[in-house]
Amino acid sequence: MIETATENKGTILAYDEDGNTIIPGDMVVYRRKLYKVEHLEHETSNDGYYTETVVLLLEHHKTGKQIEVEDFKVEVLG
C-alpha cells in the first residue's frame, strides 16, 4: 500500500509513474529529458490543506534550468 501525503503530514512521499519512490538527488526522466530532483513539496489547495499531489522541483542536468512537475509524471532512473 502506498502511503499518501494526507496520511503522513510530517513526511513528503513521492512516487513516479511506476510506483518507485522519489527522493531529492534522484535522476528522473521527464519528456525524454534528464533532470535531478532538487526539492519535494506538497501542492496545497486555496484553504491550506494538503492534497494528494506532490510537486517536484527538477533541475536539468546540463542547462541547470529548473521546472516544477507533479511526481507521477516522471520516471526514476536506476
Side-chain angles (χ1 to χ4, degrees), residues 27-36 58-63 65 67 74-75 77:
M27 298 302 287
V28 298
V29 174
Y30 175 68
R31 293 190 176 174
R32 298 176 58 182
K33 295 182 181 174
L34 185 61
Y35 292 90
K36 180 179 177 185
L58 304 178
E59 183 176 291
H60 190 268
H61 80 288
K62 286 186 180 177
T63 66
K65 180 181 176 185
I67 61 171
V74 301
E75 181 181 355
L77 296 179

